[in-house]
Short mmCIF file of all heavy atoms in Angstrom, two decimals:
data_model
loop_
_atom_site.label_atom_id
_atom_site.label_comp_id
_atom_site.label_asym_id
_atom_site.label_seq_id
_atom_site.Cartn_x
_atom_site.Cartn_y
_atom_site.Cartn_z
N LYS A 1 -7.82 -21.57 -36.54
CA LYS A 1 -8.04 -21.95 -37.94
C LYS A 1 -9.25 -22.87 -38.08
O LYS A 1 -10.00 -22.77 -39.06
CB LYS A 1 -6.80 -22.64 -38.50
CG LYS A 1 -7.02 -23.03 -39.96
CD LYS A 1 -5.88 -23.75 -40.58
CE LYS A 1 -6.25 -24.16 -42.01
NZ LYS A 1 -5.17 -24.87 -42.70
N GLN A 2 -9.46 -23.76 -37.11
CA GLN A 2 -10.61 -24.66 -37.20
C GLN A 2 -11.93 -23.90 -37.06
O GLN A 2 -12.93 -24.26 -37.70
CB GLN A 2 -10.51 -25.73 -36.12
CG GLN A 2 -9.37 -26.70 -36.36
CD GLN A 2 -9.48 -27.94 -35.51
OE1 GLN A 2 -10.52 -28.59 -35.46
NE2 GLN A 2 -8.40 -28.29 -34.84
N VAL A 3 -11.93 -22.85 -36.27
CA VAL A 3 -13.14 -22.06 -36.09
C VAL A 3 -13.34 -21.10 -37.26
O VAL A 3 -14.47 -20.87 -37.71
CB VAL A 3 -13.08 -21.28 -34.76
CG1 VAL A 3 -14.30 -20.39 -34.59
CG2 VAL A 3 -12.98 -22.26 -33.59
N THR A 4 -12.25 -20.52 -37.75
CA THR A 4 -12.30 -19.54 -38.85
C THR A 4 -11.28 -19.93 -39.91
O THR A 4 -10.18 -19.37 -39.98
CB THR A 4 -12.01 -18.12 -38.34
OG1 THR A 4 -10.71 -18.10 -37.73
CG2 THR A 4 -13.03 -17.69 -37.32
N PRO A 5 -11.61 -20.90 -40.77
CA PRO A 5 -10.63 -21.45 -41.72
C PRO A 5 -10.01 -20.43 -42.66
O PRO A 5 -8.88 -20.63 -43.12
CB PRO A 5 -11.45 -22.49 -42.49
CG PRO A 5 -12.58 -22.83 -41.60
CD PRO A 5 -12.91 -21.59 -40.85
N GLN A 6 -10.72 -19.34 -42.97
CA GLN A 6 -10.20 -18.35 -43.92
C GLN A 6 -9.51 -17.18 -43.23
O GLN A 6 -9.09 -16.23 -43.90
CB GLN A 6 -11.34 -17.83 -44.79
CG GLN A 6 -12.08 -18.90 -45.57
CD GLN A 6 -11.16 -19.70 -46.47
OE1 GLN A 6 -10.27 -19.15 -47.11
NE2 GLN A 6 -11.37 -21.00 -46.51
N SER A 7 -9.39 -17.24 -41.93
CA SER A 7 -8.84 -16.10 -41.20
C SER A 7 -7.35 -15.93 -41.47
O SER A 7 -6.64 -16.87 -41.86
CB SER A 7 -9.04 -16.30 -39.69
OG SER A 7 -8.32 -17.43 -39.23
N LYS A 8 -6.89 -14.70 -41.28
CA LYS A 8 -5.47 -14.38 -41.32
C LYS A 8 -5.01 -14.12 -39.89
O LYS A 8 -5.55 -13.25 -39.21
CB LYS A 8 -5.21 -13.16 -42.20
CG LYS A 8 -5.52 -13.39 -43.68
CD LYS A 8 -4.69 -14.53 -44.26
CE LYS A 8 -5.00 -14.76 -45.74
NZ LYS A 8 -4.22 -15.90 -46.29
N ILE A 9 -4.04 -14.91 -39.45
CA ILE A 9 -3.58 -14.85 -38.07
C ILE A 9 -2.26 -14.10 -38.01
O ILE A 9 -1.31 -14.44 -38.72
CB ILE A 9 -3.42 -16.27 -37.51
CG1 ILE A 9 -4.76 -17.01 -37.54
CG2 ILE A 9 -2.85 -16.23 -36.09
CD1 ILE A 9 -4.66 -18.49 -37.24
N VAL A 10 -2.22 -13.08 -37.17
CA VAL A 10 -1.01 -12.26 -37.03
C VAL A 10 -0.41 -12.52 -35.64
O VAL A 10 -1.01 -12.14 -34.64
CB VAL A 10 -1.33 -10.76 -37.20
CG1 VAL A 10 -0.04 -9.94 -37.12
CG2 VAL A 10 -2.04 -10.51 -38.53
N PRO A 11 0.76 -13.16 -35.58
CA PRO A 11 1.38 -13.42 -34.28
C PRO A 11 2.07 -12.19 -33.69
O PRO A 11 2.80 -11.49 -34.39
CB PRO A 11 2.42 -14.52 -34.59
CG PRO A 11 2.16 -14.96 -35.99
CD PRO A 11 1.51 -13.80 -36.67
N TYR A 12 1.80 -11.95 -32.42
CA TYR A 12 2.54 -10.95 -31.64
C TYR A 12 3.17 -11.69 -30.46
O TYR A 12 2.46 -12.16 -29.56
CB TYR A 12 1.59 -9.85 -31.14
CG TYR A 12 0.99 -9.02 -32.26
CD1 TYR A 12 -0.17 -9.43 -32.90
CD2 TYR A 12 1.61 -7.84 -32.68
CE1 TYR A 12 -0.71 -8.69 -33.93
CE2 TYR A 12 1.06 -7.09 -33.71
CZ TYR A 12 -0.09 -7.52 -34.34
OH TYR A 12 -0.63 -6.78 -35.36
N LYS A 13 4.48 -11.82 -30.49
CA LYS A 13 5.16 -12.63 -29.48
C LYS A 13 5.46 -11.82 -28.24
O LYS A 13 6.11 -10.78 -28.29
CB LYS A 13 6.46 -13.22 -30.04
CG LYS A 13 7.22 -14.07 -29.03
CD LYS A 13 8.51 -14.64 -29.60
CE LYS A 13 8.27 -15.90 -30.36
NZ LYS A 13 9.55 -16.60 -30.69
N ILE A 14 4.97 -12.34 -27.08
CA ILE A 14 5.23 -11.67 -25.81
C ILE A 14 5.83 -12.63 -24.79
O ILE A 14 6.08 -12.24 -23.64
CB ILE A 14 3.95 -11.01 -25.25
CG1 ILE A 14 2.73 -11.94 -25.34
CG2 ILE A 14 3.63 -9.73 -26.01
CD1 ILE A 14 2.63 -12.95 -24.26
N ILE A 15 6.08 -13.87 -25.21
CA ILE A 15 6.71 -14.86 -24.34
C ILE A 15 7.54 -15.81 -25.20
O ILE A 15 7.16 -16.12 -26.33
CB ILE A 15 5.64 -15.63 -23.53
CG1 ILE A 15 6.30 -16.45 -22.42
CG2 ILE A 15 4.75 -16.46 -24.41
CD1 ILE A 15 5.30 -17.02 -21.44
N ASP A 16 8.68 -16.25 -24.68
CA ASP A 16 9.61 -17.03 -25.50
C ASP A 16 10.12 -18.28 -24.81
O ASP A 16 10.71 -19.14 -25.45
CB ASP A 16 10.80 -16.15 -25.91
CG ASP A 16 11.65 -16.79 -27.00
OD1 ASP A 16 11.07 -17.40 -27.91
OD2 ASP A 16 12.89 -16.66 -26.94
N VAL A 17 9.91 -18.38 -23.50
CA VAL A 17 10.45 -19.50 -22.74
C VAL A 17 9.33 -20.16 -21.97
O VAL A 17 8.54 -19.48 -21.29
CB VAL A 17 11.55 -19.03 -21.76
CG1 VAL A 17 12.11 -20.22 -20.98
CG2 VAL A 17 12.67 -18.32 -22.51
N LYS A 18 9.25 -21.48 -22.04
CA LYS A 18 8.22 -22.22 -21.33
C LYS A 18 8.34 -21.99 -19.83
O LYS A 18 9.43 -21.92 -19.29
CB LYS A 18 8.35 -23.71 -21.64
CG LYS A 18 7.09 -24.50 -21.36
CD LYS A 18 7.20 -25.90 -21.93
CE LYS A 18 5.89 -26.65 -21.77
NZ LYS A 18 5.94 -28.00 -22.36
N GLU A 19 7.19 -21.87 -19.18
CA GLU A 19 7.09 -21.64 -17.73
C GLU A 19 7.45 -20.21 -17.31
O GLU A 19 7.42 -19.88 -16.14
CB GLU A 19 7.96 -22.63 -16.93
CG GLU A 19 7.72 -24.08 -17.25
CD GLU A 19 6.28 -24.52 -17.00
OE1 GLU A 19 5.61 -23.91 -16.15
OE2 GLU A 19 5.83 -25.46 -17.68
N SER A 20 7.83 -19.35 -18.26
CA SER A 20 8.12 -17.97 -17.90
C SER A 20 6.83 -17.15 -17.95
O SER A 20 5.82 -17.59 -18.48
CB SER A 20 9.17 -17.36 -18.83
OG SER A 20 8.66 -17.23 -20.13
N LYS A 21 6.87 -15.94 -17.40
CA LYS A 21 5.71 -15.07 -17.37
C LYS A 21 5.85 -13.96 -18.40
O LYS A 21 6.94 -13.42 -18.59
CB LYS A 21 5.54 -14.48 -15.97
CG LYS A 21 5.23 -15.50 -14.89
CD LYS A 21 5.03 -14.83 -13.54
CE LYS A 21 4.70 -15.86 -12.47
NZ LYS A 21 4.52 -15.24 -11.14
N ALA A 22 4.73 -13.62 -19.02
CA ALA A 22 4.74 -12.52 -19.98
C ALA A 22 4.77 -11.19 -19.23
O ALA A 22 4.16 -11.04 -18.17
CB ALA A 22 3.51 -12.59 -20.87
N ASP A 23 5.47 -10.22 -19.79
CA ASP A 23 5.50 -8.87 -19.24
C ASP A 23 4.18 -8.18 -19.60
O ASP A 23 3.82 -8.06 -20.77
CB ASP A 23 6.68 -8.12 -19.86
CG ASP A 23 6.89 -6.73 -19.26
OD1 ASP A 23 5.90 -6.11 -18.83
OD2 ASP A 23 8.03 -6.27 -19.23
N SER A 24 3.45 -7.74 -18.59
CA SER A 24 2.14 -7.10 -18.82
C SER A 24 2.25 -5.90 -19.74
O SER A 24 1.36 -5.64 -20.56
CB SER A 24 1.50 -6.69 -17.50
OG SER A 24 1.12 -7.81 -16.75
N LEU A 25 3.33 -5.15 -19.62
CA LEU A 25 3.50 -3.97 -20.49
C LEU A 25 3.63 -4.39 -21.95
O LEU A 25 3.13 -3.70 -22.84
CB LEU A 25 4.72 -3.17 -20.05
CG LEU A 25 4.56 -2.38 -18.75
CD1 LEU A 25 5.87 -1.69 -18.39
CD2 LEU A 25 3.43 -1.37 -18.84
#
């Protein structure tokens, strides 16, 4: 947001627990 204040950010969640690893697939 600081770099692109007018941008629209779309979250895609691939990790949910701290210290866990994201599934590459």
